[in-house]
Amino acid sequence: MKRTSQLTRKEKDAHVEAWEASGLAQKEYSLRINVNYSTFKNWVHFYRRAQAHDQAMVSSEDESSFLPVTFKAEQPAVTGRTGTTELMITYPNGVKISCSGINTGQILQLIKHY
């Protein structure tokens, strides 16, 4: 076997998957493949972190992700302070969230940031 520092991420991930399928303890598996136990624990950590990231990316693409925002140019409820107004968010299921005294300039900066 190559030195552990020479293994690619794909090779390390393959060992982690083989360990998971083996039913062995991490320590026992690492001894069988002649890899330091701490090193193998790191491989498992990075593998699981990558899996969680991949799952988060898939989840962000499904129905639970952000919906497009549309602005209606009705009668703005200006409160007297310059640049403040009422913000109302209506979800597809009819739930409404209303906030007054919102600084529209700050909201626009946040929207542009993302």
Side-chain angles (χ1 to χ4, degrees), residues 8-50:
T8 65
R9 170 60 38 208
K10 192 173 183 177
E11 291 170 317
K12 293 173 185 178
D13 289 350
H15 275 294
V16 172
E17 290 168 358
W19 159 71
E20 287 179 330
S22 74
L24 298 172
Q26 287 182 15
K27 193 166 196 168
E28 186 177 348
Y29 185 84
S30 64
L31 286 170
R32 287 188 182 194
I33 63 169
N34 199 26
V35 171
N36 183 294
Y37 174 56
S38 295
T39 300
F40 188 70
K41 284 192 332 185
N42 284 335
W43 294 0
V44 172
H45 169 77
F46 285 110
Y47 176 83
R48 288 183 176 159
R49 192 168 76 177

Side-chain angles (χ1 to χ4, degrees), residues 36-76:
N36 183 294
Y37 174 56
S38 295
T39 300
F40 188 70
K41 284 192 332 185
N42 284 335
W43 294 0
V44 172
H45 169 77
F46 285 110
Y47 176 83
R48 288 183 176 159
R49 192 168 76 177
Q51 294 295 311
H53 177 265
D54 291 347
Q55 182 60 39
M57 295 303 290
V58 169
S59 295
S60 69
E61 296 170 1
D62 69 9
E63 298 172 9
S64 65
S65 60
F66 288 105
L67 297 173
V69 175
T70 56
F71 295 93
K72 291 184 180 178
E74 295 175 356
Q75 296 175 336

Side-chain angles (χ1 to χ4, degrees), residues 48 95 98:
R48 288 183 176 159
V95 173
S98 177

